[in-house]
Amino acid sequence: MRDLSGHRTALGFLYLGVHGLALVGAAGLGLATWLLSRLATGRHVRLPVWEGLPVYLLAGFTLFVLWMAISGLAVGVSLLRGGRVSKALALVLSILMLPSFPLGTVLGVYSLWFFTQEGWDSEPGMQAAM
């Protein structure tokens, strides 16, 4: 069994970096959703704010990106601390990140490779003692 502790650390930092950027993107999408809802209601007329399909779609996409960012940050912190990592969550995140070229593609391919290796879930310093 190979020692994957270096890959575990690198992947943890990659998760934190990419999903930190996704968190900034979610904040930008939240601002865009707020601006779209303000434009949809107008300044003088007080219609229900969430009455348009574009606002619903943008709000849903914002929540999806926010979920991905927070989940990715949690996986990255777990990888760096040497804690337990949900393989299913990491694989779902890596597959969802594949289309976002170039950083998401690198993260997705590297994460898929790492989590299919034997011994990915062993503790970081365990192979050195053997």
Side-chain angles (χ1 to χ4, degrees):
M1 194 164 35
R2 295 178 17 199
D3 181 24
L4 296 174
S5 61
H7 292 289
R8 186 180 180 102
T9 303
L11 190 60
F13 280 121
L14 192 59
Y15 263 97
L16 288 179
V18 169
H19 291 301
L21 290 173
L23 192 61
V24 171
L29 281 172
L31 178 64
T33 303
W34 178 77
L35 286 174
L36 184 63
S37 68
R38 294 291 293 167
L39 289 174
T41 60
R43 295 185 179 193
H44 302 297
V45 180
R46 292 288 178 192
L47 298 174
V49 175
W50 300 104
E51 196 175 274
L53 182 63
V55 176
Y56 280 130
L57 291 176
L58 195 55
F61 187 68
T62 301
L63 291 175
F64 175 71
V65 171
L66 184 64
W67 170 81
M68 278 186 56
I70 291 172
S71 299
L73 290 173
V75 169
V77 167
S78 294
L79 283 170
L80 287 176
R81 288 188 177 172
R84 297 183 59 92
V85 178
S86 170
K87 182 179 180 179
L89 176 64
L91 289 176
V92 166
L93 286 175
S94 64
I95 290 170
L96 289 174
M97 290 299 292
L98 283 174
S100 58
F101 184 79
L103 292 177
T105 304
V106 170
L107 173 67
V109 170
Y110 191 32
S111 184
L112 286 172
W113 172 82
F114 178 78
F115 286 109
T116 56
Q117 297 297 309
E118 183 181 335
W120 71 268
D121 56 348
S122 63
E123 294 181 20
M126 197 169 142
Q127 278 82 17
M130 294 178 129

